[in-house]
Amino acid sequence: MKRIGVDVGGTFTDLILWDEGRVVVHKTPSTPDDPSVGTMEGISALAERAGISVGDIEMFFHGTTVATNIVLEHNGSDVGMITTEGFRDLLHIARKKRPLNYSNHQDLPWQKWQLIRRRNRRTVAERIDAAGTVVTPLDEGQVREQVRLLRDRDVDAIAVCFLHAYRNPVHEERVREIIEEEFPEAFVSLSSRVAPQYREYERFSTTALNAFIGPKVSTYVTRLAESARAAGIGDDVHLMTSAGGLITARSASEAPVSLLTSGVVAGLLGGCAIGRASGYPSVITLDVGGTSADVGVAPDGKLRMKHLLDTRIGDYHAMVPMAEVDTIGAGGGSIAAVDEGGMFRVGPRSAGAHPGPACYGRGGTEPTSTDAMVLMGWLREDSFLSGTMTVQPELAREAVETHIARSLDTTLAQAAMGIFKILAYSMTEAISLHSVRKGYDPREFSLVAEGGAGPLFAWHIAEQLGIPRVIVPRHPGIASAMGLLTTDLRYEIPTTVWTSSAAPDVDLIATQLKRLEEQARAQLRADGVDDEHISLERSVDCRYMGQGYELRVPAPDGEVDEDWVAATAAAFHEVHGRTYSQRFEDKPVHLVNIRVTGVGAVTHVVIGEIEPGGEDPGAAVKTTTRALFWRDEVSEPEWFETPVYDRALLRAGNRISGPAIVEQFDSTTVIGLNQHATVDSVGHIIMERKTA
């Protein structure tokens, strides 16, 4: 079966074709104004490279930053809200937590950049209590008045958020029907469908986010799906969610909030598959693109889910499941500058795809980390993207000399090395934040270098953190795209039950679990998944009585009874002890939310072995070049005559001693002065520090 993975980044769109063991990759510049254009152009070019017709492609998997970028750039749709009387200002008040606790003069991001303006937040009479009982019937006449008002104000979307709708959605569903009658063009976002859990503010915020990004994302997804269909590609586009699963274009159009952090999770999934193939399942992934760097930690190759307090996008709460991956503004396009105070800074501002680094010759004049590595001899002008992109070292030299070297009264070599080290330090700190500070020792992990720039930085970062090895996959520049081919269709459906292990409401749990499981099966069947390929996973959000937030724990299969509750409580004690080094087995456990994840199995990409060779990599040497390296952190940079290898000619068993450079179409790998590398059986470069 021929399937493709396409990951759209800020600078490049990465593509991979997998055809029963054959892998073909391609990179093409992204088209920010309409990412679907660059995607379809890239697919055509990839098919041509592979010698197949676009119509031969049977499955299309996609990771996108479109939803995330809309939120971060504050350019979403004009949204209206219909909510319960008395709750108009909930989005404004939020949780009362301020970025600066003691400042009376500060901009609060969720107030300065409102998802929904106050004039468009409308209230109606209705009330449902926490048990799901209707206390005040819905005033349908008021609803029609407010919908017409919002229609006359030309809003693009309407968020419907009623108190306790997670318990009983009857009023929200009726409002949806009225909107379809009065304002059928509006994109509708119901809290009972988007985030059917308790916690009013987080539920309201998530529903508002869904409405804010909904019209643009659904338009993009629909356009892409139609383009793919017109080209004869498969039967649907499958998109990566923030939880690491895939959903269909239809589902993504209805709940686009699930696509937040879509692309970055694919990189972590790809890293997990890469680590397993090389025999090192515990991995830290470093995916460095043109605009940003994504950092993920997967002990034993398993994704960790973020705590509710951390499931944000920008400054907004998003109560959707998110894998533990975070992004910093550090990439190949990160701009270096000396600020007014004389501080030498690199990033987070980026040159992006246009105009790009100065050396691209597209009009950029500010120095970037790519320009620095051109000057250091690591990126050669005749090898960038296998020579398909022209690089002009003289423009890089002019940018670094003008903006950095002269300002700091230093040499060009020192300025270039400084740009590299400052950006590498930002990545080192990000990895430390997500490993050491969360109880994981990076010395027990392998660092998987991904993205076009990850293999340039990885050797130095591993030295700084004491990580024993770096794994550079066969195609590091398209690792995220490959990650799309390593997961399944997944739908997570939660609900709130609010019961205690001391006196559990077993009937409620059993009834709700049955409902969620039927809903998950129906969703997967609607996507065309056969019953034999469907499996269901249960989990419960638990806490000790009196605690403010929950931890997610796996729940047993089988009949729900008091033994089932006891087993779930025991699992919570174990997770709490591992997380906080404390467990209180004599205390009752509060079961807050139950979740069912429906999984539709998809055949995964398999990383096959490559042709073996001896230790001598001489046949892969292309040339030698002068490249800048340093012996330790306090030494001055020195120029070394450095061998340059063709990655395509390396064979399993080859050993390379640093310093060395390995070039390929989608990336360049740097092996440091104190490093040596071995090509393993599946073609990954395993880089380790030289022993004395």
Side-chain angles (χ1 to χ4, degrees):
M1 177 177 284
K2 297 177 178 63
R3 60 186 68 186
I4 58 168
V6 181
D7 179 56
V8 179
T11 305
F12 287 103
T13 294
D14 304 328
L15 306 97
I16 180 172
L17 167 73
W18 186 60
D19 180 13
E20 301 299 335
R22 185 172 72 115
V23 173
V24 182
V25 303
H26 184 62
K27 291 177 79 75
T28 187
S30 296
T31 52
D33 291 340
D34 184 355
S36 66
V37 173
T39 297
M40 295 308 298
E41 289 177 351
I43 291 173
S44 296
L46 177 67
E48 185 177 344
R49 286 175 65 106
I52 64 170
S53 167
V54 171
D56 293 335
I57 299 169
E58 298 167 82
M59 298 191 77
F60 179 4
F61 301 96
H62 183 40
T64 177
T65 58
V66 169
T68 302
N69 291 343
I70 291 172
V71 178
L72 297 181
E73 295 169 8
H74 308 291
N75 63 356
S77 299
D78 197 0
V79 182
M81 171 181 275
I82 295 177
T83 188
T84 309
E85 284 184 343
F87 289 84
R88 181 181 189 182
D89 293 318
L90 189 65
L91 283 176
H92 183 85
I93 298 168
R95 285 289 177 187
K96 299 193 296 184
K97 185 173 177 58
R98 303 293 186 261
L100 304 172
N101 288 333
Y102 301 105
S103 172
N104 291 324
H105 305 282
Q106 59 177 307
D107 285 329
L108 303 180
W110 59 90
Q111 294 178 3
K112 181 177 181 180
W113 304 99
Q114 300 178 63
L115 293 172
I116 307 174
R117 290 179 292 176
R118 191 175 193 271
R119 68 190 297 265
N120 288 338
R121 300 197 298 264
R122 316 305 299 177
T123 64
V124 298
E126 76 84 36
R127 193 65 173 247
I128 292 175
D129 66 17
T133 304
V134 176
V135 176
T136 302
L138 177 68
D139 188 328
E140 296 189 9
Q142 276 190 330
V143 173
R144 290 189 187 276
E145 290 177 7
Q146 301 297 0
V147 171
R148 290 168 182 166
L149 181 147
L150 293 172
R151 180 194 61 196
D152 293 342
R153 289 181 178 175
D154 293 325
V155 302
D156 303 301
I158 298 177
V160 185
C161 303
F162 287 154
L163 192 65
H164 301 307
Y166 61 90
R167 277 291 201 194
N168 184 350
V170 61
H171 285 175
E172 288 195 352
E173 293 293 347
R174 179 56 186 145
V175 171
R176 183 185 188 91
E177 293 172 358
I178 293 173
I179 294 172
E180 290 174 350
E181 295 169 7
E182 299 286 346
F183 189 12
E185 302 84 10
F187 180 93
V188 182
S189 179
L190 302 186
S191 76
S192 53
R193 295 192 181 189
V194 175
Q197 305 169 66
Y198 96 108
R199 282 198 170 93
E200 281 73 33
Y201 168 63
E202 288 80 4
R203 179 161 52 89
F204 279 39
S205 176
T206 307
T207 307
L209 273 171
N210 195 63
F212 186 70
I213 66 175
K216 289 187 176 181
V217 173
S218 61
T219 298
Y220 164 69
V221 170
T222 301
R223 184 186 299 128
L224 180 62
E226 290 174 349
S227 298
R229 197 174 300 115
I233 301 175
D235 58 351
D236 202 352
V237 178
H238 295 79
L239 295 102
M240 174 66 68
T241 70
S242 58
L246 295 166
I247 58 175
T248 61
R250 172 182 57 82
S251 298
S253 296
E254 294 173 356
V257 73
S258 63
L259 301 183
L260 296 172
T261 73
S262 163
V264 300
V265 177
L268 179 56
L269 287 168
C272 292
I274 290 160
R276 285 193 298 270
S278 288
Y280 304 106
S282 291
V283 297
I284 296 172
T285 57
L286 176 69
D287 188 348
V288 187
T291 307
S292 60
D294 306 319
V295 173
V297 179
D300 297 321
K302 297 177 181 177
L303 269 62
R304 297 182 300 156
M305 304 307 291
K306 286 186 177 181
H307 191 279
L308 175 63
L309 289 172
D310 298 324
T311 55
R312 298 170 178 252
I313 184 68
D315 298 297
Y316 307 104
H317 277 278
M319 195 162 59
V320 293
M322 290 186 181
E324 186 76 74
V325 186
D326 282 281
T327 301
I328 62 171
S334 293
I335 294 172
V338 179
D339 65 19
E340 294 179 356
M343 294 294 292
F344 187 6
R345 302 181 184 276
V346 186
R349 199 162 57 92
S350 174
H354 300 284
C359 63
Y360 285 7
R362 294 175 175 171
T365 58
E366 297 180 281
T368 67
S369 63
T370 295
D371 295 308
M373 288 183 281
V374 167
L375 296 181
M376 293 163 70
W378 296 2
L379 298 174
R380 299 186 308 120
E381 57 184 301
D382 61 347
S383 63
F384 204 75
L385 285 182
S386 295
T388 61
M389 176 175 283
T390 302
V391 173
Q392 302 176 48
E394 65 277 7
L395 296 180
R397 185 175 299 107
E398 180 181 351
V400 175
E401 178 72 35
T402 302
H403 294 276
I404 306 298
R406 290 177 189 169
S407 297
L408 297 177
D409 190 23
T410 188
T411 67
L412 201 62
Q414 290 172 328
M417 183 182 73
I419 292 172
F420 170 82
K421 283 192 172 183
I422 290 172
L423 203 60
Y425 178 77
S426 298
M427 300 176 198
T428 300
E429 282 294 288
I431 292 174
S432 177
L433 177 66
H434 296 292
S435 59
V436 176
R437 300 181 198 181
K438 294 192 176 182
Y440 295 100
D441 187 344
R443 295 172 297 183
E444 298 175 356
F445 289 75
S446 298
L447 181 64
V448 180
E450 301 176 352
L456 291 160
F457 289 92
W459 70 273
H460 181 71
I461 292 170
E463 283 193 346
Q464 297 302 299
L465 290 171
I467 298 174
R469 72 190 59 82
V470 173
I471 304 174
V472 184
R474 269 193 260 174
H475 304 289
I478 49 81
S480 290
M482 191 199 76
L484 295 166
L485 306 182
T486 66
T487 189
D488 301 304
L489 287 169
R490 298 178 69 89
Y491 292 96
E492 182 177 294
I493 309 172
T495 194
T496 298
V497 291
W498 202 267
T499 188
S500 168
S501 64
D505 189 338
V506 174
D507 290 339
L508 173 65
I509 297 172
T511 300
Q512 293 297 335
L513 269 178
K514 182 179 179 182
R515 177 179 67 83
L516 298 182
E517 290 175 347
E518 289 174 351
Q519 189 175 340
R521 283 196 185 93
Q523 180 72 68
L524 290 166
R525 286 168 180 160
D527 289 345
V529 182
D530 297 330
D531 283 354
E532 59 265 30
H533 294 132
I534 294 176
S535 60
L536 302 175
E537 300 171 357
R538 298 173 173 178
S539 60
V540 183
D541 298 341
C542 300
R543 67 190 188 192
Y544 289 117
M545 302 299 288
Q547 285 184 320
Y549 289 90
E550 304 81 41
L551 292 174
R552 179 186 298 206
V553 301
D557 294 325
E559 182 181 355
V560 176
D561 52 22
E562 292 193 359
D563 290 339
W564 185 94
V565 174
T568 301
F572 170 70
H573 293 311
E574 178 67 26
V575 171
H576 195 280
R578 187 169 64 249
T579 304
Y580 299 116
S581 300
Q582 294 286 339
R583 53 195 297 165
F584 307 96
E585 298 190 24
D586 58 331
K587 303 294 183 183
V589 174
H590 195 174
L591 284 68
V592 179
N593 303 312
I594 57 174
R595 302 173 183 273
V596 169
T597 301
V599 181
V602 176
T603 304
H604 298 170
V605 64
V606 176
I607 301 175
E609 296 188 350
I610 67 168
E611 181 182 340
E615 292 189 3
D616 183 9
V621 175
K622 296 168 63 174
T623 185
T624 60
T625 188
R626 289 181 73 248
L628 196 68
F629 289 94
W630 47 95
R631 298 184 183 278
D632 53 53
E633 289 307 298
V634 297
S635 64
E636 289 293 313
E638 301 178 45
W639 292 97
F640 290 83
E641 197 66 23
T642 305
V644 179
Y645 295 87
D646 184 343
R647 180 73 183 264
L649 299 179
L650 290 175
R651 298 292 179 259
N654 286 174
R655 293 177 60 85
I656 301 172
S657 181
I661 295 171
V662 181
E663 295 178 343
Q664 60 191 103
F665 172 77
D666 57 313
S667 186
T668 296
T669 300
V670 171
I671 301 170
L673 190 66
N674 301 316
Q675 305 280 324
H676 69 83
T678 304
V679 181
D680 70 6
S681 61
V682 293
H684 297 160
I685 295 175
I686 309 298
M687 200 185 312
E688 298 173 306
R689 189 172 178 83
K690 294 177 181 176
T691 56

